[in-house]
Amino acid sequence: MKIVHIFPGKVWGGAEQYVLDLGEALRKRGHEVSYVARPSKAVEDRLRGQVAYSVAAIGGLLGRGGVNELINAVKEADLVHVHDLKHVAPVSRAIKKSGGRARIVVTRHIARASRTLPWMRKPLREVHRMIFVSHLGQSLWRSVNGWMPEEKCRVIHNSIPPYIPEDTDNLRKRYGVSDDVPLIMFTGRIRKSKGCMTLVEALGRLSALKWQMVFVGRCKPADYDKELLETARDNGIASRLGFMGFSDRVRSLIRQADIGVAPSIVREACPLTPMEFMQAGVCVVATDNGAQPEYITDGKTGVLVKPGDVEGTATALRSLLTDRQRRNTIASRGKEYFETEMNYDSFIENILSAYEVI
C-alpha cells in the first residue's frame, strides 16, 4: 500500500514524532511510505536525510500555495493519513485534482469540544476513518459534532515503539548525585502549561527529603528556567534543580530516573511522556486532566494528581521518595501494563485495521 502522511505542525512535538514512528513501522511492514511537511525549518531539519518527504503550504484554500506539490504527493497514493482536521479539505481537493483515488484517514490528536465549520463538514463526512487518540477526545469532539457518522469513528490510544538504549550522559555523575538520592525527571518543553512551576513549588515543600530534579528539554520562553530557579531559590532548593536542555536521547536518559513527572495543567488528549516512563519501568506521577486515567490506574500503574495542585503533587512525590518499595512496585506494574496492553505492535495492528475498507 502506498501511504502518505501529512505532518500536522510547524514545530517538532509529540504528534510529529507519532507520525514519523508510525510511518517507519508501516514501512517495516512492507508498505511504501512518504511524507508531506508544511514549510518549517524545525520539521525539515528532523526529516532531512532520514525519510522521503515533500513540502507544501497546505494552510488555507488549496490554490494559495502548495497546490502542485500536494497534488504530486497524493496522486499515486492508496491512502493519505492526515493529522490535522483543517488539512482534510485541501488534501481531498488535491486528490480529486490529481485524478487519484486515495482514501483519507484523519487522526485528531487533541481533546477539545471544537465545532467544525460548516464548509469543512462535507470533506470530513467523506473520509474513510476518523481516529481519536482517546475516548476523552472522541467524546468531547462528538458532543458538538453529532453530524459525523459514528461508524467512521474509532479510538486508538497512542503508543511508542520499542527503544534500544544508547550511550548518553550519566546524570548522577553530571549533577553529583549519589546512588542513595532519588532522581526525579521531567522531559519535554519546559513551560508554564506543562505544570513546571507547580512541580518546583511542590518540591519546595520536600526540602527535608533526599532528591535531585532534572529537567530535560528546551524552555519556552527561552529564559523560563530563570523564573523556575527564582522560585526554587525562594524555597531553598535551587542547587537541587538541573536544566540539561534538549537531548535527542531522552528515552535513554529516562531509564536513569527513579521517578518521572508529567504535571501538565492543560488537558492532554493522550500524552506520550507518561508512556515513555512506563515503558522504561520508571514510576510516573501525572495529572488526571486528560486521557491519562485511560491508561494509568492511580496507585497501581502510576500516580495521578490534580493539575496545578501543589500540595497534592508534593504529597504524591513524598509517598514515593520515602517508600522505595512502593515506587518500584508501581514502576513494575506500569511497565507490565504498557507491554501487555499498549505495546506498539498492537497499536500498528489497530491502525492497519482502521485503514481497511469499511
Side-chain angles (χ1 to χ4, degrees):
M1 185 186 301
K2 293 183 178 180
I3 303 169
V4 177
H5 281 279
I6 311 292
F7 279 98
K10 291 188 174 183
V11 297
W12 194 265
E16 286 68 35
Q17 189 63 51
Y18 168 105
V19 174
L20 187 61
D21 289 339
L22 174 55
E24 179 61 22
L26 292 170
R27 186 179 292 108
K28 289 180 179 178
R29 297 286 185 106
H31 300 283
E32 184 179 328
V33 180
S34 60
Y35 304 88
V36 175
R38 299 164 68 192
S40 163
K41 184 178 185 302
V43 174
E44 291 188 61
D45 283 349
R46 293 296 294 267
L47 299 181
R48 192 174 293 111
Q50 292 192 57
V51 296
Y53 73 96
S54 56
V55 178
I58 304 173
L61 295 174
L62 185 59
R64 291 185 177 178
V67 55
N68 292 329
E69 293 86 348
L70 191 55
I71 289 173
N72 289 334
V74 303
K75 65 183 178 181
E76 296 182 359
D78 298 305
L79 184 141
V80 180
H81 195 152
V82 179
H83 297 270
D84 190 320
L85 264 62
K86 67 176 178 287
H87 295 159
V88 171
V91 167
S92 177
R93 288 193 290 271
I95 292 171
K96 291 174 182 177
K97 284 178 178 289
S98 74
R101 301 175 61 86
R103 302 191 301 276
I104 297 176
V105 170
V106 56
T107 294
R108 184 166 169 82
H109 293 272
I110 58 178
R112 193 178 303 153
S114 304
R115 293 185 186 275
T116 302
L117 295 172
W119 67 269
M120 291 178 59
R121 294 181 184 180
K122 185 177 185 294
L124 271 173
R125 285 194 187 98
E126 296 173 349
V127 301
H128 172 65
R129 190 82 70 187
M130 185 169 181
I131 298 171
F132 297 87
V133 298
S134 63
H135 292 286
L136 173 68
Q138 177 178 250
S139 176
L140 288 170
W141 191 81
R142 284 188 56 79
S143 70
V144 294
N145 293 284
W147 49 267
M148 184 69 179
E150 184 176 359
E151 65 272 13
K152 292 197 173 189
C153 299
R154 181 174 297 185
V155 173
I156 302 177
H157 285 114
N158 289 340
S159 183
I160 50 177
Y163 182 76
I164 299 174
E166 301 175 277
D167 290 337
T168 188
D169 288 306
N170 183 315
L171 295 178
R172 291 188 177 277
K173 183 177 180 180
R174 177 170 180 157
Y175 294 104
V177 183
S178 60
D179 291 340
D180 64 329
V181 175
L183 190 64
I184 307 170
M185 185 180 293
F186 171 95
T187 65
R189 291 184 191 171
I190 303 166
R191 57 193 305 179
K192 182 178 180 180
S193 64
K194 292 299 182 179
C196 296
M197 186 59 75
T198 299
L199 175 58
V200 171
E201 291 176 353
L203 290 170
R205 288 154 170 76
L206 305 175
S207 59
L209 301 178
K210 289 183 177 181
W211 54 265
Q212 173 70 34
M213 179 73 223
V214 177
F215 289 88
V216 182
R218 291 194 177 97
C219 292
K220 188 174 182 180
D223 60 351
Y224 186 53
D225 56 332
K226 295 178 181 177
E227 186 175 340
L228 295 174
L229 282 170
E230 182 178 353
T231 298
R233 278 191 291 271
D234 291 342
N235 287 275
I237 59 169
S239 64
R240 299 162 73 178
L241 268 60
F243 291 86
M244 184 176 178
F246 172 80
S247 172
D248 60 0
R249 298 188 176 182
V250 172
R251 291 169 72 186
S252 290
L253 293 169
I254 280 175
R255 295 168 186 268
Q256 301 180 43
D258 296 290
I259 300 171
V261 283
S264 178
I265 60 176
V266 297
R267 181 183 284 152
E268 302 276 4
C270 193
L272 300 178
T273 297
M275 296 180 197
E276 291 177 333
F277 287 118
M278 293 168 72
Q279 183 193 56
V282 176
C283 181
V284 63
V285 177
T287 43
D288 65 357
N289 54 328
Q292 297 90 314
E294 294 183 25
Y295 63 90
I296 296 176
T297 301
D298 185 32
K300 184 176 181 180
T301 58
V303 178
L304 295 173
V305 297
K306 298 297 180 185
D309 184 353
V310 174
E311 288 297 337
T313 303
T315 297
L317 289 172
R318 183 182 292 107
S319 72
L320 298 173
L321 290 169
T322 58
D323 191 340
R324 182 173 183 173
Q325 182 175 348
R326 181 171 186 263
R327 70 172 183 258
N328 286 346
T329 298
I330 291 174
S332 178
R333 288 174 177 167
K335 181 178 178 65
E336 180 182 4
Y337 182 83
F338 179 87
E339 291 177 344
T340 57
E341 303 295 332
M342 303 182 70
N343 66 80
Y344 207 65
D345 283 341
S346 295
F347 166 74
I348 295 300
E349 290 298 330
N350 288 333
I351 291 290
L352 288 172
S353 176
Y355 284 176
E356 294 303 318
V357 177
I358 297 175

mmCIF file of all heavy atoms in Angstrom, residues 227-271:
data_model
loop_
_atom_site.group_PDB
_atom_site.id
_atom_site.type_symbol
_atom_site.label_atom_id
_atom_site.label_comp_id
_atom_site.label_asym_id
_atom_site.label_seq_id
_atom_site.Cartn_x
_atom_site.Cartn_y
_atom_site.Cartn_z
ATOM 1 N N GLU A 227 12.951 31.862 35.813
ATOM 2 C CA GLU A 227 11.763 32.046 36.643
ATOM 3 C C GLU A 227 11.593 30.856 37.595
ATOM 4 O O GLU A 227 11.274 31.032 38.776
ATOM 5 C CB GLU A 227 10.531 32.189 35.752
ATOM 6 C CG GLU A 227 9.263 32.532 36.506
ATOM 7 C CD GLU A 227 8.089 32.793 35.581
ATOM 8 O OE1 GLU A 227 8.321 33.084 34.394
ATOM 9 O OE2 GLU A 227 6.931 32.680 36.053
ATOM 10 N N LEU A 228 11.836 29.664 37.080
ATOM 11 C CA LEU A 228 11.721 28.468 37.922
ATOM 12 C C LEU A 228 12.799 28.470 39.003
ATOM 13 O O LEU A 228 12.532 28.117 40.163
ATOM 14 C CB LEU A 228 11.833 27.211 37.062
ATOM 15 C CG LEU A 228 10.710 26.980 36.039
ATOM 16 C CD1 LEU A 228 11.029 25.776 35.162
ATOM 17 C CD2 LEU A 228 9.368 26.782 36.739
ATOM 18 N N LEU A 229 14.008 28.870 38.635
ATOM 19 C CA LEU A 229 15.097 28.903 39.608
ATOM 20 C C LEU A 229 14.874 29.968 40.677
ATOM 21 O O LEU A 229 15.266 29.786 41.836
ATOM 22 C CB LEU A 229 16.430 29.147 38.888
ATOM 23 C CG LEU A 229 17.021 27.921 38.183
ATOM 24 C CD1 LEU A 229 18.195 28.315 37.296
ATOM 25 C CD2 LEU A 229 17.466 26.869 39.204
ATOM 26 N N GLU A 230 14.251 31.070 40.306
ATOM 27 C CA GLU A 230 13.946 32.097 41.292
ATOM 28 C C GLU A 230 12.990 31.550 42.351
ATOM 29 O O GLU A 230 13.183 31.770 43.561
ATOM 30 C CB GLU A 230 13.329 33.314 40.608
ATOM 31 C CG GLU A 230 13.025 34.459 41.573
ATOM 32 C CD GLU A 230 12.461 35.679 40.882
ATOM 33 O OE1 GLU A 230 12.425 35.689 39.634
ATOM 34 O OE2 GLU A 230 12.041 36.608 41.581
ATOM 35 N N THR A 231 11.972 30.823 41.912
ATOM 36 C CA THR A 231 11.053 30.187 42.860
ATOM 37 C C THR A 231 11.790 29.146 43.688
ATOM 38 O O THR A 231 11.563 29.022 44.904
ATOM 39 C CB THR A 231 9.888 29.528 42.107
ATOM 40 O OG1 THR A 231 9.157 30.530 41.399
ATOM 41 C CG2 THR A 231 8.941 28.808 43.058
ATOM 42 N N ALA A 232 12.675 28.403 43.044
ATOM 43 C CA ALA A 232 13.449 27.391 43.759
ATOM 44 C C ALA A 232 14.347 28.025 44.825
ATOM 45 O O ALA A 232 14.473 27.505 45.937
ATOM 46 C CB ALA A 232 14.289 26.580 42.774
ATOM 47 N N ARG A 233 14.963 29.166 44.488
ATOM 48 C CA ARG A 233 15.803 29.858 45.469
ATOM 49 C C ARG A 233 14.977 30.325 46.663
ATOM 50 O O ARG A 233 15.423 30.235 47.814
ATOM 51 C CB ARG A 233 16.505 31.046 44.807
ATOM 52 C CG ARG A 233 17.757 30.680 44.036
ATOM 53 C CD ARG A 233 18.554 31.902 43.643
ATOM 54 N NE ARG A 233 17.847 32.692 42.641
ATOM 55 C CZ ARG A 233 17.973 32.500 41.327
ATOM 56 N NH1 ARG A 233 18.762 31.541 40.876
ATOM 57 N NH2 ARG A 233 17.318 33.260 40.482
ATOM 58 N N ASP A 234 13.766 30.799 46.390
ATOM 59 C CA ASP A 234 12.882 31.233 47.484
ATOM 60 C C ASP A 234 12.559 30.085 48.432
ATOM 61 O O ASP A 234 12.268 30.301 49.611
ATOM 62 C CB ASP A 234 11.578 31.800 46.920
ATOM 63 C CG ASP A 234 11.781 33.126 46.199
ATOM 64 O OD1 ASP A 234 12.831 33.764 46.417
ATOM 65 O OD2 ASP A 234 10.898 33.510 45.412
ATOM 66 N N ASN A 235 12.628 28.854 47.886
ATOM 67 C CA ASN A 235 12.325 27.666 48.688
ATOM 68 C C ASN A 235 13.576 26.920 49.143
ATOM 69 O O ASN A 235 13.476 25.843 49.723
ATOM 70 C CB ASN A 235 11.428 26.712 47.887
ATOM 71 C CG ASN A 235 10.004 27.213 47.751
ATOM 72 O OD1 ASN A 235 9.168 27.003 48.627
ATOM 73 N ND2 ASN A 235 9.709 27.891 46.648
ATOM 74 N N GLY A 236 14.739 27.489 48.843
ATOM 75 C CA GLY A 236 15.993 26.890 49.289
ATOM 76 C C GLY A 236 16.378 25.609 48.585
ATOM 77 O O GLY A 236 17.104 24.777 49.145
ATOM 78 N N ILE A 237 15.927 25.426 47.325
ATOM 79 C CA ILE A 237 16.214 24.162 46.634
ATOM 80 C C ILE A 237 16.876 24.386 45.270
ATOM 81 O O ILE A 237 16.979 23.452 44.464
ATOM 82 C CB ILE A 237 14.928 23.338 46.440
ATOM 83 C CG1 ILE A 237 13.898 24.133 45.621
ATOM 84 C CG2 ILE A 237 14.337 22.905 47.780
ATOM 85 C CD1 ILE A 237 12.709 23.301 45.152
ATOM 86 N N ALA A 238 17.326 25.594 44.976
ATOM 87 C CA ALA A 238 17.855 25.903 43.644
ATOM 88 C C ALA A 238 19.010 24.990 43.252
ATOM 89 O O ALA A 238 19.140 24.595 42.083
ATOM 90 C CB ALA A 238 18.291 27.360 43.576
ATOM 91 N N SER A 239 19.852 24.617 44.197
ATOM 92 C CA SER A 239 21.018 23.781 43.889
ATOM 93 C C SER A 239 20.628 22.352 43.533
ATOM 94 O O SER A 239 21.461 21.583 43.042
ATOM 95 C CB SER A 239 21.967 23.757 45.085
ATOM 96 O OG SER A 239 21.350 23.151 46.212
ATOM 97 N N ARG A 240 19.363 21.995 43.752
ATOM 98 C CA ARG A 240 18.920 20.621 43.501
ATOM 99 C C ARG A 240 18.123 20.495 42.206
ATOM 100 O O ARG A 240 17.548 19.447 41.929
ATOM 101 C CB ARG A 240 18.094 20.130 44.693
ATOM 102 C CG ARG A 240 18.931 20.132 45.980
ATOM 103 C CD ARG A 240 18.089 20.074 47.224
ATOM 104 N NE ARG A 240 17.508 18.756 47.424
ATOM 105 C CZ ARG A 240 16.760 18.426 48.468
ATOM 106 N NH1 ARG A 240 16.513 19.340 49.407
ATOM 107 N NH2 ARG A 240 16.269 17.219 48.592
ATOM 108 N N LEU A 241 18.095 21.578 41.423
ATOM 109 C CA LEU A 241 17.447 21.562 40.121
ATOM 110 C C LEU A 241 18.497 21.635 39.023
ATOM 111 O O LEU A 241 19.390 22.487 39.060
ATOM 112 C CB LEU A 241 16.486 22.750 39.968
ATOM 113 C CG LEU A 241 15.021 22.537 40.365
ATOM 114 C CD1 LEU A 241 14.907 22.152 41.824
ATOM 115 C CD2 LEU A 241 14.213 23.792 40.058
ATOM 116 N N GLY A 242 18.400 20.726 38.048
ATOM 117 C CA GLY A 242 19.293 20.756 36.903
ATOM 118 C C GLY A 242 18.515 20.924 35.613
ATOM 119 O O GLY A 242 17.469 20.298 35.440
ATOM 120 N N PHE A 243 19.008 21.800 34.730
ATOM 121 C CA PHE A 243 18.375 22.014 33.432
ATOM 122 C C PHE A 243 19.347 21.556 32.358
ATOM 123 O O PHE A 243 20.335 22.235 32.075
ATOM 124 C CB PHE A 243 18.003 23.483 33.253
ATOM 125 C CG PHE A 243 16.897 23.939 34.161
ATOM 126 C CD1 PHE A 243 17.180 24.387 35.448
ATOM 127 C CD2 PHE A 243 15.573 23.886 33.747
ATOM 128 C CE1 PHE A 243 16.160 24.796 36.301
ATOM 129 C CE2 PHE A 243 14.555 24.288 34.589
ATOM 130 C CZ PHE A 243 14.836 24.742 35.866
ATOM 131 N N MET A 244 19.070 20.400 31.778
ATOM 132 C CA MET A 244 20.005 19.790 30.843
ATOM 133 C C MET A 244 19.874 20.353 29.437
ATOM 134 O O MET A 244 20.806 20.293 28.645
ATOM 135 C CB MET A 244 19.773 18.275 30.810
ATOM 136 C CG MET A 244 20.757 17.529 29.946
ATOM 137 S SD MET A 244 20.506 15.760 30.025
ATOM 138 C CE MET A 244 21.769 15.213 28.861
ATOM 139 N N GLY A 245 18.720 20.910 29.086
ATOM 140 C CA GLY A 245 18.487 21.358 27.722
ATOM 141 C C GLY A 245 17.991 20.220 26.851
ATOM 142 O O GLY A 245 17.672 19.127 27.329
ATOM 143 N N PHE A 246 17.945 20.473 25.546
ATOM 144 C CA PHE A 246 17.426 19.480 24.605
ATOM 145 C C PHE A 246 18.381 18.299 24.487
ATOM 146 O O PHE A 246 19.607 18.454 24.493
ATOM 147 C CB PHE A 246 17.221 20.109 23.227
ATOM 148 C CG PHE A 246 16.881 19.110 22.161
ATOM 149 C CD1 PHE A 246 15.584 18.634 22.027
ATOM 150 C CD2 PHE A 246 17.857 18.629 21.299
ATOM 151 C CE1 PHE A 246 15.266 17.689 21.059
ATOM 152 C CE2 PHE A 246 17.553 17.696 20.306
ATOM 153 C CZ PHE A 246 16.244 17.225 20.195
ATOM 154 N N SER A 247 17.812 17.109 24.362
ATOM 155 C CA SER A 247 18.593 15.905 24.094
ATOM 156 C C SER A 247 17.837 15.036 23.099
ATOM 157 O O SER A 247 16.614 14.891 23.189
ATOM 158 C CB SER A 247 18.829 15.106 25.381
ATOM 159 O OG SER A 247 19.439 13.848 25.081
ATOM 160 N N ASP A 248 18.555 14.463 22.140
ATOM 161 C CA ASP A 248 17.923 13.552 21.193
ATOM 162 C C ASP A 248 17.975 12.110 21.700
ATOM 163 O O ASP A 248 17.646 11.169 20.963
ATOM 164 C CB ASP A 248 18.567 13.658 19.809
ATOM 165 C CG ASP A 248 20.053 13.329 19.813
ATOM 166 O OD1 ASP A 248 20.602 13.009 20.891
ATOM 167 O OD2 ASP A 248 20.674 13.399 18.735
ATOM 168 N N ARG A 249 18.378 11.946 22.960
ATOM 169 C CA ARG A 249 18.410 10.611 23.567
ATOM 170 C C ARG A 249 17.627 10.587 24.874
ATOM 171 O O ARG A 249 18.041 9.991 25.870
ATOM 172 C CB ARG A 249 19.862 10.177 23.796
ATOM 173 C CG ARG A 249 20.645 10.080 22.485
ATOM 174 C CD ARG A 249 22.020 9.476 22.643
ATOM 175 N NE ARG A 249 22.660 9.333 21.353
ATOM 176 C CZ ARG A 249 23.869 8.783 21.171
ATOM 177 N NH1 ARG A 249 24.555 8.339 22.213
ATOM 178 N NH2 ARG A 249 24.376 8.669 19.958
ATOM 179 N N VAL A 250 16.479 11.236 24.822
ATOM 180 C CA VAL A 250 15.655 11.369 26.027
ATOM 181 C C VAL A 250 15.294 10.013 26.607
ATOM 182 O O VAL A 250 15.340 9.807 27.825
ATOM 183 C CB VAL A 250 14.378 12.174 25.710
ATOM 184 C CG1 VAL A 250 13.422 12.147 26.896
ATOM 185 C CG2 VAL A 250 14.741 13.609 25.366
ATOM 186 N N ARG A 251 14.932 9.070 25.740
ATOM 187 C CA ARG A 251 14.465 7.789 26.261
ATOM 188 C C ARG A 251 15.576 6.965 26.898
ATOM 189 O O ARG A 251 15.313 6.125 27.754
ATOM 190 C CB ARG A 251 13.751 7.022 25.152
ATOM 191 C CG ARG A 251 12.419 7.696 24.783
ATOM 192 C CD ARG A 251 11.802 7.151 23.533
ATOM 193 N NE ARG A 251 11.271 5.816 23.730
ATOM 194 C CZ ARG A 251 10.769 5.068 22.738
ATOM 195 N NH1 ARG A 251 10.758 5.547 21.504
ATOM 196 N NH2 ARG A 251 10.308 3.869 22.984
ATOM 197 N N SER A 252 16.826 7.235 26.535
ATOM 198 C CA SER A 252 17.947 6.615 27.248
ATOM 199 C C SER A 252 18.149 7.291 28.597
ATOM 200 O O SER A 252 18.460 6.636 29.597
ATOM 201 C CB SER A 252 19.235 6.714 26.415
ATOM 202 O OG SER A 252 19.171 5.868 25.287
ATOM 203 N N LEU A 253 17.964 8.603 28.642
ATOM 204 C CA LEU A 253 18.088 9.347 29.897
ATOM 205 C C LEU A 253 16.999 8.941 30.888
ATOM 206 O O LEU A 253 17.246 8.829 32.092
ATOM 207 C CB LEU A 253 18.018 10.848 29.634
ATOM 208 C CG LEU A 253 19.185 11.454 28.859
ATOM 209 C CD1 LEU A 253 18.855 12.878 28.428
ATOM 210 C CD2 LEU A 253 20.463 11.425 29.698
ATOM 211 N N ILE A 254 15.791 8.727 30.386
ATOM 212 C CA ILE A 254 14.657 8.372 31.243
ATOM 213 C C ILE A 254 14.969 7.155 32.095
ATOM 214 O O ILE A 254 14.556 7.070 33.267
ATOM 215 C CB ILE A 254 13.401 8.135 30.379
ATOM 216 C CG1 ILE A 254 12.770 9.479 29.990
ATOM 217 C CG2 ILE A 254 12.372 7.266 31.100
ATOM 218 C CD1 ILE A 254 11.596 9.352 29.044
ATOM 219 N N ARG A 255 15.696 6.217 31.547
ATOM 220 C CA ARG A 255 15.987 4.972 32.265
ATOM 221 C C ARG A 255 16.829 5.194 33.517
ATOM 222 O O ARG A 255 16.930 4.310 34.369
ATOM 223 C CB ARG A 255 16.686 3.984 31.315
ATOM 224 C CG ARG A 255 15.789 3.535 30.176
ATOM 225 C CD ARG A 255 16.549 2.792 29.094
ATOM 226 N NE ARG A 255 15.678 2.499 27.966
ATOM 227 C CZ ARG A 255 14.968 1.375 27.825
ATOM 228 N NH1 ARG A 255 15.055 0.429 28.752
ATOM 229 N NH2 ARG A 255 14.194 1.183 26.779
ATOM 230 N N GLN A 256 17.432 6.378 33.631
ATOM 231 C CA GLN A 256 18.228 6.677 34.820
ATOM 232 C C GLN A 256 17.389 7.250 35.956
ATOM 233 O O GLN A 256 17.869 7.384 37.079
ATOM 234 C CB GLN A 256 19.332 7.674 34.459
ATOM 235 C CG GLN A 256 20.289 7.185 33.376
ATOM 236 C CD GLN A 256 21.350 8.217 33.054
ATOM 237 O OE1 GLN A 256 21.923 8.861 33.946
ATOM 238 N NE2 GLN A 256 21.638 8.384 31.772
ATOM 239 N N ALA A 257 16.138 7.584 35.665
ATOM 240 C CA ALA A 257 15.292 8.233 36.667
ATOM 241 C C ALA A 257 14.689 7.212 37.632
ATOM 242 O O ALA A 257 14.470 6.053 37.293
ATOM 243 C CB ALA A 257 14.181 9.014 35.980
ATOM 244 N N ASP A 258 14.405 7.675 38.850
ATOM 245 C CA ASP A 258 13.655 6.889 39.822
ATOM 246 C C ASP A 258 12.174 7.241 39.781
ATOM 247 O O ASP A 258 11.315 6.394 40.018
ATOM 248 C CB ASP A 258 14.197 7.138 41.233
ATOM 249 C CG ASP A 258 15.628 6.670 41.392
ATOM 250 O OD1 ASP A 258 15.845 5.439 41.383
ATOM 251 O OD2 ASP A 258 16.531 7.521 41.506
ATOM 252 N N ILE A 259 11.888 8.501 39.460
ATOM 253 C CA ILE A 259 10.511 8.981 39.373
ATOM 254 C C ILE A 259 10.407 9.910 38.166
ATOM 255 O O ILE A 259 11.240 10.799 37.980
ATOM 256 C CB ILE A 259 10.101 9.764 40.642
ATOM 257 C CG1 ILE A 259 10.218 8.884 41.888
ATOM 258 C CG2 ILE A 259 8.669 10.300 40.506
ATOM 259 C CD1 ILE A 259 10.047 9.654 43.196
ATOM 260 N N GLY A 260 9.407 9.694 37.347
ATOM 261 C CA GLY A 260 9.131 10.588 36.232
ATOM 262 C C GLY A 260 7.915 11.435 36.557
ATOM 263 O O GLY A 260 6.983 10.971 37.211
ATOM 264 N N VAL A 261 7.908 12.685 36.116
ATOM 265 C CA VAL A 261 6.783 13.570 36.379
ATOM 266 C C VAL A 261 6.257 14.162 35.073
ATOM 267 O O VAL A 261 7.035 14.588 34.220
ATOM 268 C CB VAL A 261 7.154 14.698 37.366
ATOM 269 C CG1 VAL A 261 7.202 14.177 38.787
ATOM 270 C CG2 VAL A 261 8.481 15.342 36.993
ATOM 271 N N ALA A 262 4.934 14.181 34.947
ATOM 272 C CA ALA A 262 4.266 14.776 33.785
ATOM 273 C C ALA A 262 3.095 15.594 34.312
ATOM 274 O O ALA A 262 1.941 15.183 34.218
ATOM 275 C CB ALA A 262 3.798 13.684 32.833
ATOM 276 N N PRO A 263 3.385 16.786 34.898
ATOM 277 C CA PRO A 263 2.374 17.550 35.641
ATOM 278 C C PRO A 263 1.594 18.582 34.827
ATOM 279 O O PRO A 263 1.231 19.640 35.338
ATOM 280 C CB PRO A 263 3.225 18.240 36.702
ATOM 281 C CG PRO A 263 4.519 18.534 35.980
ATOM 282 C CD PRO A 263 4.722 17.395 35.003
ATOM 283 N N SER A 264 1.324 18.291 33.559
ATOM 284 C CA SER A 264 0.666 19.254 32.680
ATOM 285 C C SER A 264 -0.607 19.821 33.297
ATOM 286 O O SER A 264 -1.406 19.092 33.890
ATOM 287 C CB SER A 264 0.323 18.582 31.345
ATOM 288 O OG SER A 264 -0.353 19.480 30.504
ATOM 289 N N ILE A 265 -0.797 21.136 33.147
ATOM 290 C CA ILE A 265 -2.004 21.765 33.682
ATOM 291 C C ILE A 265 -3.046 21.988 32.589
ATOM 292 O O ILE A 265 -4.129 22.504 32.851
ATOM 293 C CB ILE A 265 -1.689 23.109 34.385
ATOM 294 C CG1 ILE A 265 -1.044 24.097 33.414
ATOM 295 C CG2 ILE A 265 -0.795 22.872 35.592
ATOM 296 C CD1 ILE A 265 -0.797 25.474 34.017
ATOM 297 N N VAL A 266 -2.732 21.585 31.348
ATOM 298 C CA VAL A 266 -3.699 21.656 30.259
ATOM 299 C C VAL A 266 -4.184 20.242 29.945
ATOM 300 O O VAL A 266 -3.522 19.255 30.248
ATOM 301 C CB VAL A 266 -3.098 22.300 28.991
ATOM 302 C CG1 VAL A 266 -2.700 23.737 29.266
ATOM 303 C CG2 VAL A 266 -1.903 21.500 28.491
ATOM 304 N N ARG A 267 -5.348 20.168 29.348
ATOM 305 C CA ARG A 267 -5.938 18.860 29.028
ATOM 306 C C ARG A 267 -5.146 18.198 27.911
ATOM 307 O O ARG A 267 -4.981 18.750 26.831
ATOM 308 C CB ARG A 267 -7.393 19.041 28.610
ATOM 309 C CG ARG A 267 -8.104 17.747 28.271
ATOM 310 C CD ARG A 267 -9.516 18.028 27.794
ATOM 311 N NE ARG A 267 -10.376 18.357 28.918
ATOM 312 C CZ ARG A 267 -11.447 19.136 28.826
ATOM 313 N NH1 ARG A 267 -11.757 19.695 27.670
ATOM 314 N NH2 ARG A 267 -12.208 19.369 29.877
ATOM 315 N N GLU A 268 -4.658 16.992 28.168
ATOM 316 C CA GLU A 268 -3.868 16.249 27.203
ATOM 317 C C GLU A 268 -4.726 15.155 26.574
ATOM 318 O O GLU A 268 -5.405 14.397 27.271
ATOM 319 C CB GLU A 268 -2.658 15.614 27.896
ATOM 320 C CG GLU A 268 -1.743 16.605 28.611
ATOM 321 C CD GLU A 268 -0.737 17.255 27.684
ATOM 322 O OE1 GLU A 268 -0.802 16.990 26.467
ATOM 323 O OE2 GLU A 268 0.095 18.032 28.164
ATOM 324 N N ALA A 269 -4.674 15.045 25.238
ATOM 325 C CA ALA A 269 -5.510 14.062 24.546
ATOM 326 C C ALA A 269 -5.068 12.632 24.833
ATOM 327 O O ALA A 269 -5.887 11.755 25.092
ATOM 328 C CB ALA A 269 -5.488 14.317 23.045
ATOM 329 N N CYS A 270 -3.783 12.382 24.775
ATOM 330 C CA CYS A 270 -3.218 11.070 25.121
ATOM 331 C C CYS A 270 -1.702 11.217 25.135
ATOM 332 O O CYS A 270 -1.014 10.812 24.201
ATOM 333 C CB CYS A 270 -3.644 9.997 24.124
ATOM 334 S SG CYS A 270 -3.307 8.292 24.677
ATOM 335 N N PRO A 271 -1.162 11.840 26.178
ATOM 336 C CA PRO A 271 0.252 12.229 26.194
ATOM 337 C C PRO A 271 1.211 11.042 26.148
ATOM 338 O O PRO A 271 0.974 9.997 26.754
ATOM 339 C CB PRO A 271 0.386 12.998 27.507
ATOM 340 C CG PRO A 271 -0.722 12.478 28.375
ATOM 341 C CD PRO A 271 -1.850 12.183 27.434
#
